[in-house]
Amino acid sequence: MTAAARPRDATEGAAAPTTLLVLGLVAFALTVGVVSIGRAAVSLQQGTAAADAAALAVLTGSTLAGGDGRPALEAAADVTLDNGAMLVGVDLAGWPHRVLVVVAVDIGLPMVGGLVTVEAAAALRPP
């Protein structure tokens, strides 16, 4: 006896390709997310380095560091730009011993807003 051939359904066997497609899309989204977070972390670290360097650059104008007694704001702006950030503000309340610098850096995440600010302080000790 032979079994009668039953008609084949058009969706039969479609689960495997659909599952692979969904898993591929999830893997792609996770990869993009991890790369974006990594890029943001690197940009934030660059912003921190820029803020540190800018704070030190401002203090080079202090008489304690051999400067002319005026804060070296132009030097700080140049150092900040050279490090891929933008000088936002300088707090000279503790001048000539201490400064606080704020820089903005683009972290490359458009959904988050892109720009974050990073602060850094530098201080000189009198001899």
Side-chain angles (χ1 to χ4, degrees):
M1 243 174 142
T2 58
R6 65 172 199 204
R8 187 171 181 161
D9 185 8
T11 60
E12 189 176 321
T18 303
T19 302
L20 287 176
L21 177 66
V22 169
L23 288 176
L25 290 174
V26 168
F28 177 74
L30 286 174
T31 302
V32 168
V34 168
V35 168
S36 296
I37 290 171
R39 182 177 171 198
V42 167
S43 296
L44 193 58
Q45 187 63 34
Q46 287 174 335
T48 301
D52 288 340
L56 292 172
V58 170
L59 285 178
T60 61
S62 172
T63 54
L64 296 172
D68 60 4
R70 292 176 291 145
L73 299 177
E74 287 182 20
D78 291 342
V79 166
T80 305
L81 287 175
D82 290 344
N83 283 288
M86 179 178 59
L87 187 62
V88 174
V90 178
D91 181 7
L92 297 172
W95 180 258
H97 302 289
R98 186 176 191 279
V99 295
L100 177 69
V101 175
V102 180
V103 302
V105 64
D106 182 10
I107 60 170
L109 296 175
M111 292 183 195
V112 179
L115 287 177
V116 295
T117 57
V118 180
E119 294 182 358
L124 289 173
R125 294 183 190 195

